[in-house]
Amino acid sequence: MTSDRHQTLPVSTSVVIFAALLILLFMTIGAAYLDLGPLAVPIAFTIATIKALLIVFYFMHVKFSSTLIKLFSMGASLWVVILLVFTLSDYLGRDLLNIVGK
Amino acid sequence: MSATAEAHAHPHHATEGGDDTILEHHYDDLEQQHESSMLGMWTFLATEVMFFGGLVGAYIIYRIIYRDDFAAAGRHQNVILGGINTVILLTSSLTMALAVRAAQLRRIREIVIYLVATMVFGAGFLGVKAIEYTTDYREGLFPFAGAWDWEKAQAHSGHAGEHEGESKHEELGESNSTISPKWYATIGTTTPDPAAAKVLPLRNRSQSDHAKLYFTFYFFMTGLHAIHLIIGIVLVGIMALLSWRRWFSGAGETQIETTGLYWHFVDVVWVYLYPALYLIDIHQ
């Protein structure tokens, strides 16, 4: 019986992920000093999300976990994405239709 | 419960390689036992994501409304110290991942070393955070207990010229604050006369007030994160002590891995807080 519990990753995997996280960190700091206009915030949070996914999938072993664990871990972010996307659709899209008084 | 369950109930049968983990009687096998703990921690983390998500959502909304004032406040952050702290926390995640690996391989000594390293990095993060908080307090950026002094903070960080220019605006009867008119209703100053609406909220709420709001968010979000980190350090310390005392069966693999999930989650929160609070405004 093969067990998920014994999916032991080599040290090199953790070190590579760590190096990737550091590179992404320096990328996001570098990008912050550039004048990217309206793209600045999306780029910063795209990089943050890539970092978060690397941590979740490798350091938190979700990539090697059962479907149930995958479902629960993704469910956590699904709800917060709903929270933020629906809120922002109001606050960012409020004046798009140019309805007077709205 | 047939013979299969009975076979699994014997710890050494559940996995290959002579697993010494004790199987609690209410689980079918070690696999299920381990999975239950992981699932429990992930469920807790899902609630934590919503907990921080609400705070981040509120921050985003106010940042949209008071964009320029929040940016002016955000530029008071020390990007270098924040960056150093990010490196420290990412390193602690690496040592935590290695501690989990050591537990899977049943190397007790290695577990203790990596867990202690994780605690040291966590404490290092809090130390840098303490320096940042102290500097903020001295510069008048602490929004509680009457310590708030925006003019002092502006003078301190070389934004004095910028501030002078804005003071002139105030003399002219305008505020140094910029809010697009579409947000008047949102921030609670509805008036039927658009001309009046243009002046009213701007007089009452200055850039200082909006910057204070930014720093209230900053101290709440980073403070909440720091509390989570303190809890994490205590948990990792308990795991290190119990490992060192050989208290666990199966080298505490399940226990250390659940603690690791919590630790990495705290790291993920910081991964979002750092750009949100420190980085997105500095290029202006």
Side-chain angles (χ1 to χ4, degrees), chain B residues 20-159:
Chain B
D20 58 335
T21 310
I22 294 170
L23 180 69
E24 300 288 340
H25 65 86
H26 49 295
Y27 294 111
D28 284 345
D29 53 33
L30 289 175
E31 181 101 26
Q32 189 205 17
Q33 177 171 281
H34 182 79
E35 180 100 345
S36 302
S37 294
M38 293 298 121
L39 208 54
M41 184 46 97
W42 270 111
T43 309
F44 170 68
L45 293 184
T47 70
E48 289 275 273
V49 168
M50 292 305 287
F51 186 30
F52 278 98
L55 210 47
V56 170
Y59 168 77
I60 291 172
I61 290 165
Y62 279 107
R63 201 190 166 276
I64 291 169
I65 299 175
Y66 305 133
R67 194 185 61 200
D68 296 334
D69 294 345
F70 265 44
R75 281 193 290 276
H76 283 274
Q77 298 292 357
N78 191 328
V79 176
I80 310 273
L81 284 184
I84 290 171
N85 252 355
T86 312
V87 173
I88 292 175
L89 214 52
L90 290 176
T91 314
S92 79
S93 260
L94 174 66
T95 53
M96 190 72 228
L98 293 176
V100 171
R101 180 175 186 274
Q104 288 170 340
L105 297 171
R106 306 289 187 265
R107 296 175 186 162
I108 306 288
R109 224 180 96 82
E110 222 176 280
I111 296 171
V112 176
I113 289 169
Y114 282 128
L115 287 181
V116 170
T118 306
M119 285 172 75
V120 169
F121 286 121
F125 179 94
L126 290 176
V128 175
K129 205 83 221 134
I131 294 170
E132 285 186 75
Y133 281 176
T134 314
T135 315
D136 288 341
Y137 186 84
R138 287 215 188 102
E139 291 182 359
L141 292 169
F142 188 68
F144 316 106
W148 180 255
D149 190 344
W150 182 238
E151 286 187 25
K152 186 169 126 192
Q154 290 288 77
H156 211 283
S157 62
H159 289 285

Side-chain angles (χ1 to χ4, degrees), chain A residues 1-11 14-15 18 21-22 25-26 28-29 32-37 40-41 44-45 48-49 51-52 55-56 59-62 66 68-69 72-73 76-77 79-80 83-84 87-88 91-92 94-95, chain B residues 8 14-16 19 21 30-31 34-35 38-39 42-43 45-46 49-50 53-54 57 60-61 64 79 83 86-87 90-91 93-94 97-98 100-101 104-105 182-183 186 253 257 261 264-265 267-268 271-272 274-276 279-280 282-283:
Chain A
M1 170 179 173
T2 0
S3 164
D4 283 339
R5 300 168 60 240
H6 287 262
Q7 187 87 42
T8 308
L9 298 175
V11 176
S14 296
V15 174
F18 174 66
L21 288 170
L22 285 188
L25 169 65
F26 291 121
T28 192
I29 294 175
Y33 280 99
L34 301 175
D35 191 4
L36 298 167
V41 175
F45 284 100
T49 302
K51 283 165 77 181
I55 294 172
V56 167
F59 283 173
M60 292 167 103
H61 291 187
V62 165
S66 66
L68 193 60
I69 299 279
F72 269 61
S73 58
S77 35
W79 293 114
V80 90
L83 172 78
L84 296 180
T87 310
L88 286 178
Y91 278 88
L92 291 177
R94 193 171 287 193
D95 60 340
Chain B
H8 280 301
T15 50
E16 70 275 64
D19 196 318
T21 310
L30 289 175
E31 181 101 26
H34 182 79
E35 180 100 345
M38 293 298 121
L39 208 54
W42 270 111
T43 309
L45 293 184
V49 168
M50 292 305 287
I60 291 172
I61 290 165
I64 291 169
V79 176
T86 312
V87 173
L90 290 176
T91 314
S93 260
L94 174 66
L98 293 176
V100 171
R101 180 175 186 274
Q104 288 170 340
L105 297 171
K182 68 171 169 163
W183 298 117
T186 314
E253 183 190 338
E257 201 172 332
L261 288 183
H264 296 308
F265 163 76
D267 193 6
V268 168
V271 159
Y272 282 99
Y274 181 53
L279 292 179
I280 49 181
I282 52 174
H283 69 274

